[in-house]
Amino acid sequence: MKMRIDKLLSVCSIATRSESGRAARAGRITVNGVAERNAARQIDTERDEVCFDGARVIYREHVYIMLNKPEGYVSATEDGRDPTVLELLPDEVRRAGMFPCGRLDKNTLGLMLLTDDGELAHRLLAPKRHVEKRYRFVCRNEVSEADRQALETGLQLADGYMTKPAAVELFDDRKSGIITLHEGKYHQIKRMFGAVNDNRIIHLERITFGPLTLDESLGRGEWRYLDDDEIAALMAAGNL
Ligand code: URA
């Protein structure tokens, strides 16, 4: 694929476009062993060997982004009414075919994976191998030990669906804690709490998704590219 050097370095989360320009002028970028002072030069990702500070830059076919989702955004690629999580990415980062891998409600916060890798998403979310997800929650009423056990064992939602086993850790106030799921039905956690003692979730934030952990240095609405270790861990989780 033909691509500008500064775009390649940005996609590979090595340098922003302006940093690439400075690095090129400083002689830190080579193409096929020769210093390239113009970061706007087009290269061929299959044929040319680009190095940054001597390290080979490998172009990836797909893009993997961690987003700290804020409230008010919907997990969709398009929505007639509300802004979508994709709108939080700058134009040059948004790729055709990108989508949120899994859904969070409009008022749920936290870790969201954005990618254009449909095969990986399918494997991570398929019911058989659905990856583990952990959420920090706050609910309206204290959760009794019996209710905690019901949430863990599995319970029947209003539509008749039996939830799979989950893990529920309660903090001292018994109104907040961490819930771990291996499935993702519509409004699942809210409906699970609604099914025990008419409880109600008032804050929900996803903190892990499979092997990924929310990077706490990302403010709400901020994002970053996944690093190589995170991508490798996701591939392993998807058996790819
Ligand atoms: N469960 C919910 O109820 N909402 C979410 O956004 C995620 C899990």
Side-chain angles (χ1 to χ4, degrees):
M1 181 189 285
K2 293 259 194 299
M3 183 179 288
R4 285 167 54 135
I5 295 174
D6 50 7
K7 168 94 182 188
L8 171 72
L9 294 175
S10 146
V11 167
C12 296
S13 57
I14 291 171
T16 62
R17 288 217 172 171
S18 52
E19 286 165 353
S20 294
R22 281 196 295 277
R25 287 191 292 278
R28 296 167 64 194
I29 298 173
T30 57
V31 178
N32 304 322
V34 178
E36 174 56 66
R37 310 258 167 197
N38 176 14
R41 178 179 150 191
Q42 295 269 350
I43 52 99
D44 182 327
T45 53
E46 271 105 66
R47 296 225 199 113
D48 292 320
E49 187 180 282
V50 178
C51 293
F52 187 91
D53 284 344
R56 175 94 195 260
V57 179
I58 311 280
Y59 172 71
R60 286 183 193 282
E61 188 187 346
H62 294 297
V63 68
Y64 305 93
I65 285 176
M66 175 187 295
L67 170 74
N68 184 350
K69 181 188 171 300
E71 222 175 311
Y73 286 78
V74 292
S75 312
T77 49
E78 270 181 37
D79 192 273
R81 218 175 35 184
D82 295 306
T84 73
V85 285
L86 289 175
E87 290 170 40
L88 291 161
L89 301 178
D91 287 347
E92 71 269 20
V93 170
R94 226 180 298 161
R95 281 199 194 177
M98 263 181 99
F99 58 89
C101 178
R103 288 184 170 244
L104 291 178
D105 296 337
K106 185 172 156 188
N107 64 353
T108 301
L109 315 169
L111 176 54
M112 176 128 251
L113 170 65
L114 303 174
T115 184
D116 57 351
D117 187 343
E119 171 72 9
L120 176 75
H122 172 72
R123 283 173 175 247
L124 297 175
L125 299 175
K128 261 197 189 156
R129 200 193 292 119
H130 201 108
V131 291
E132 180 179 289
K133 295 172 294 189
R134 304 180 80 214
Y135 299 81
R136 232 179 256 142
F137 67 85
V138 179
C139 58
R140 185 179 53 188
N141 309 322
E142 288 186 17
V143 178
S144 68
E145 184 50 23
D147 288 348
R148 193 189 68 77
Q149 281 179 22
L151 288 164
E152 283 205 333
T153 314
L155 45 76
Q156 193 164 33
L157 300 179
D159 62 0
Y161 178 75
M162 276 300 296
T163 61
K164 294 197 173 126
V168 181
E169 180 194 339
L170 287 173
F171 298 153
D172 287 346
D173 64 357
R174 299 197 73 89
K175 291 181 179 177
S176 59
I178 293 183
I179 180 164
T180 307
L181 296 186
H182 294 89
E183 56 183 339
K185 300 287 173 214
Y186 177 69
H187 286 175
Q188 178 155 350
I189 297 174
K190 290 173 185 157
R191 292 196 293 145
M192 285 171 76
F193 277 74
V196 286
N197 213 3
D198 201 20
N199 210 335
R200 195 187 175 123
I201 290 287
I202 51 184
H203 173 89
L204 195 58
E205 176 181 13
R206 185 153 71 193
I207 50 176
T208 72
F209 178 81
L212 299 182
T213 298
L214 179 63
D215 182 339
E216 302 278 352
S217 72
L218 292 177
R220 297 277 180 231
E222 289 183 350
W223 61 275
R224 68 163 171 78
Y225 290 108
L226 295 191
D227 63 30
D228 289 346
D229 291 343
E230 290 169 326
I231 294 173
L234 272 185
M235 296 298 160
N239 238 346
L240 281 168

PDB file of all heavy atoms in Angstrom, residues 103-105 108 135 181 185 187-191 204, ligand 1:
ATOM      1  N   ARG A 103     -20.507  -3.320  22.493  1.00  0.00           N
ATOM      2  CA  ARG A 103     -21.292  -2.110  22.743  1.00  0.00           C
ATOM      3  C   ARG A 103     -21.250  -1.688  24.200  1.00  0.00           C
ATOM      4  O   ARG A 103     -21.160  -2.530  25.080  1.00  0.00           O
ATOM      5  CB  ARG A 103     -22.749  -2.366  22.373  1.00  0.00           C
ATOM      6  CG  ARG A 103     -22.894  -2.446  20.890  1.00  0.00           C
ATOM      7  CD  ARG A 103     -24.326  -2.596  20.484  1.00  0.00           C
ATOM      8  NE  ARG A 103     -24.358  -2.409  19.043  1.00  0.00           N
ATOM      9  CZ  ARG A 103     -24.994  -1.417  18.439  1.00  0.00           C
ATOM     10  NH1 ARG A 103     -25.684  -0.542  19.124  1.00  0.00           N
ATOM     11  NH2 ARG A 103     -24.952  -1.309  17.136  1.00  0.00           N
ATOM     12  N   LEU A 104     -21.299  -0.383  24.402  1.00  0.00           N
ATOM     13  CA  LEU A 104     -21.552   0.162  25.731  1.00  0.00           C
ATOM     14  C   LEU A 104     -22.743   1.092  25.586  1.00  0.00           C
ATOM     15  O   LEU A 104     -22.890   1.762  24.549  1.00  0.00           O
ATOM     16  CB  LEU A 104     -20.347   0.957  26.240  1.00  0.00           C
ATOM     17  CG  LEU A 104     -19.081   0.170  26.593  1.00  0.00           C
ATOM     18  CD1 LEU A 104     -17.965   1.114  27.027  1.00  0.00           C
ATOM     19  CD2 LEU A 104     -19.354  -0.849  27.697  1.00  0.00           C
ATOM     20  N   ASP A 105     -23.580   1.148  26.622  1.00  0.00           N
ATOM     21  CA  ASP A 105     -24.736   2.045  26.563  1.00  0.00           C
ATOM     22  C   ASP A 105     -24.268   3.497  26.460  1.00  0.00           C
ATOM     23  O   ASP A 105     -23.142   3.822  26.844  1.00  0.00           O
ATOM     24  CB  ASP A 105     -25.583   1.899  27.833  1.00  0.00           C
ATOM     25  CG  ASP A 105     -26.177   0.511  27.944  1.00  0.00           C
ATOM     26  OD1 ASP A 105     -26.310  -0.169  26.914  1.00  0.00           O
ATOM     27  OD2 ASP A 105     -26.496   0.116  29.086  1.00  0.00           O
ATOM     28  N   THR A 108     -22.824   4.631  29.627  1.00  0.00           N
ATOM     29  CA  THR A 108     -21.738   3.823  30.216  1.00  0.00           C
ATOM     30  C   THR A 108     -20.402   4.387  29.747  1.00  0.00           C
ATOM     31  O   THR A 108     -20.275   4.851  28.616  1.00  0.00           O
ATOM     32  CB  THR A 108     -21.872   2.339  29.798  1.00  0.00           C
ATOM     33  OG1 THR A 108     -23.133   1.854  30.244  1.00  0.00           O
ATOM     34  CG2 THR A 108     -20.777   1.486  30.400  1.00  0.00           C
ATOM     35  N   TYR A 135     -16.446  -4.535  34.905  1.00  0.00           N
ATOM     36  CA  TYR A 135     -17.076  -3.220  35.005  1.00  0.00           C
ATOM     37  C   TYR A 135     -17.081  -2.764  36.464  1.00  0.00           C
ATOM     38  O   TYR A 135     -17.427  -3.548  37.352  1.00  0.00           O
ATOM     39  CB  TYR A 135     -18.543  -3.283  34.566  1.00  0.00           C
ATOM     40  CG  TYR A 135     -18.771  -3.707  33.148  1.00  0.00           C
ATOM     41  CD1 TYR A 135     -18.747  -5.046  32.799  1.00  0.00           C
ATOM     42  CD2 TYR A 135     -19.042  -2.765  32.153  1.00  0.00           C
ATOM     43  CE1 TYR A 135     -18.975  -5.451  31.490  1.00  0.00           C
ATOM     44  CE2 TYR A 135     -19.272  -3.163  30.847  1.00  0.00           C
ATOM     45  CZ  TYR A 135     -19.238  -4.507  30.517  1.00  0.00           C
ATOM     46  OH  TYR A 135     -19.462  -4.901  29.231  1.00  0.00           O
ATOM     47  N   LEU A 181     -18.230 -10.225  33.551  1.00  0.00           N
ATOM     48  CA  LEU A 181     -19.158 -10.975  32.686  1.00  0.00           C
ATOM     49  C   LEU A 181     -18.396 -11.677  31.571  1.00  0.00           C
ATOM     50  O   LEU A 181     -17.319 -11.237  31.175  1.00  0.00           O
ATOM     51  CB  LEU A 181     -20.151 -10.028  31.998  1.00  0.00           C
ATOM     52  CG  LEU A 181     -21.140  -9.225  32.817  1.00  0.00           C
ATOM     53  CD1 LEU A 181     -22.092  -8.508  31.863  1.00  0.00           C
ATOM     54  CD2 LEU A 181     -21.922 -10.104  33.772  1.00  0.00           C
ATOM     55  N   LYS A 185     -25.299  -9.211  26.708  1.00  0.00           N
ATOM     56  CA  LYS A 185     -26.661  -8.967  26.215  1.00  0.00           C
ATOM     57  C   LYS A 185     -27.007  -7.491  26.390  1.00  0.00           C
ATOM     58  O   LYS A 185     -26.404  -6.796  27.217  1.00  0.00           O
ATOM     59  CB  LYS A 185     -27.667  -9.826  27.002  1.00  0.00           C
ATOM     60  CG  LYS A 185     -27.403 -11.302  26.890  1.00  0.00           C
ATOM     61  CD  LYS A 185     -27.770 -11.820  25.524  1.00  0.00           C
ATOM     62  CE  LYS A 185     -27.352 -13.264  25.377  1.00  0.00           C
ATOM     63  NZ  LYS A 185     -26.938 -13.641  24.055  1.00  0.00           N
ATOM     64  N   HIS A 187     -28.128  -4.140  27.565  1.00  0.00           N
ATOM     65  CA  HIS A 187     -28.336  -3.588  28.918  1.00  0.00           C
ATOM     66  C   HIS A 187     -28.168  -4.644  30.009  1.00  0.00           C
ATOM     67  O   HIS A 187     -28.876  -4.618  31.014  1.00  0.00           O
ATOM     68  CB  HIS A 187     -29.749  -2.990  29.052  1.00  0.00           C
ATOM     69  CG  HIS A 187     -29.907  -1.682  28.345  1.00  0.00           C
ATOM     70  ND1 HIS A 187     -31.119  -1.043  28.253  1.00  0.00           N
ATOM     71  CD2 HIS A 187     -29.027  -0.890  27.707  1.00  0.00           C
ATOM     72  CE1 HIS A 187     -30.976   0.075  27.569  1.00  0.00           C
ATOM     73  NE2 HIS A 187     -29.712   0.187  27.232  1.00  0.00           N
ATOM     74  N   GLN A 188     -27.238  -5.566  29.784  1.00  0.00           N
ATOM     75  CA  GLN A 188     -27.211  -6.747  30.653  1.00  0.00           C
ATOM     76  C   GLN A 188     -27.048  -6.433  32.142  1.00  0.00           C
ATOM     77  O   GLN A 188     -27.789  -6.956  32.975  1.00  0.00           O
ATOM     78  CB  GLN A 188     -26.096  -7.702  30.213  1.00  0.00           C
ATOM     79  CG  GLN A 188     -26.048  -8.897  31.157  1.00  0.00           C
ATOM     80  CD  GLN A 188     -25.473 -10.125  30.542  1.00  0.00           C
ATOM     81  OE1 GLN A 188     -25.253 -10.181  29.343  1.00  0.00           O
ATOM     82  NE2 GLN A 188     -25.237 -11.125  31.371  1.00  0.00           N
ATOM     83  N   ILE A 189     -26.069  -5.606  32.470  1.00  0.00           N
ATOM     84  CA  ILE A 189     -25.811  -5.379  33.907  1.00  0.00           C
ATOM     85  C   ILE A 189     -26.982  -4.621  34.529  1.00  0.00           C
ATOM     86  O   ILE A 189     -27.447  -4.943  35.627  1.00  0.00           O
ATOM     87  CB  ILE A 189     -24.467  -4.641  34.095  1.00  0.00           C
ATOM     88  CG1 ILE A 189     -23.333  -5.534  33.573  1.00  0.00           C
ATOM     89  CG2 ILE A 189     -24.247  -4.270  35.544  1.00  0.00           C
ATOM     90  CD1 ILE A 189     -21.962  -4.887  33.550  1.00  0.00           C
ATOM     91  N   LYS A 190     -27.497  -3.655  33.807  1.00  0.00           N
ATOM     92  CA  LYS A 190     -28.641  -2.895  34.343  1.00  0.00           C
ATOM     93  C   LYS A 190     -29.818  -3.828  34.574  1.00  0.00           C
ATOM     94  O   LYS A 190     -30.504  -3.753  35.595  1.00  0.00           O
ATOM     95  CB  LYS A 190     -29.024  -1.777  33.379  1.00  0.00           C
ATOM     96  CG  LYS A 190     -27.963  -0.681  33.339  1.00  0.00           C
ATOM     97  CD  LYS A 190     -28.254   0.339  32.280  1.00  0.00           C
ATOM     98  CE  LYS A 190     -27.098   1.325  32.215  1.00  0.00           C
ATOM     99  NZ  LYS A 190     -27.003   2.010  30.940  1.00  0.00           N
ATOM    100  N   ARG A 191     -30.035  -4.724  33.637  1.00  0.00           N
ATOM    101  CA  ARG A 191     -31.178  -5.645  33.783  1.00  0.00           C
ATOM    102  C   ARG A 191     -30.918  -6.673  34.881  1.00  0.00           C
ATOM    103  O   ARG A 191     -31.830  -7.077  35.592  1.00  0.00           O
ATOM    104  CB  ARG A 191     -31.476  -6.326  32.445  1.00  0.00           C
ATOM    105  CG  ARG A 191     -32.018  -5.322  31.425  1.00  0.00           C
ATOM    106  CD  ARG A 191     -32.681  -5.993  30.250  1.00  0.00           C
ATOM    107  NE  ARG A 191     -31.747  -6.735  29.439  1.00  0.00           N
ATOM    108  CZ  ARG A 191     -32.043  -7.875  28.812  1.00  0.00           C
ATOM    109  NH1 ARG A 191     -33.251  -8.400  28.912  1.00  0.00           N
ATOM    110  NH2 ARG A 191     -31.137  -8.488  28.084  1.00  0.00           N
ATOM    111  N   LEU A 204     -21.715   3.109  35.626  1.00  0.00           N
ATOM    112  CA  LEU A 204     -21.142   1.890  35.050  1.00  0.00           C
ATOM    113  C   LEU A 204     -19.954   2.272  34.179  1.00  0.00           C
ATOM    114  O   LEU A 204     -20.067   3.152  33.313  1.00  0.00           O
ATOM    115  CB  LEU A 204     -22.210   1.179  34.212  1.00  0.00           C
ATOM    116  CG  LEU A 204     -21.925  -0.272  33.815  1.00  0.00           C
ATOM    117  CD1 LEU A 204     -21.702  -1.154  35.047  1.00  0.00           C
ATOM    118  CD2 LEU A 204     -23.095  -0.832  33.009  1.00  0.00           C
TER     119      LEU A 204
HETATM  120  N1  URA B   1     -24.292  -3.765  30.761  1.00  0.00           N
HETATM  121  C1  URA B   1     -25.103  -2.693  30.680  1.00  0.00           C
HETATM  122  O1  URA B   1     -26.190  -2.690  31.240  1.00  0.00           O
HETATM  123  N2  URA B   1     -24.675  -1.630  29.983  1.00  0.00           N
HETATM  124  C2  URA B   1     -23.471  -1.578  29.384  1.00  0.00           C
HETATM  125  O2  URA B   1     -23.150  -0.552  28.763  1.00  0.00           O
HETATM  126  C3  URA B   1     -22.647  -2.697  29.466  1.00  0.00           C
HETATM  127  C4  URA B   1     -23.075  -3.785  30.164  1.00  0.00           C
END
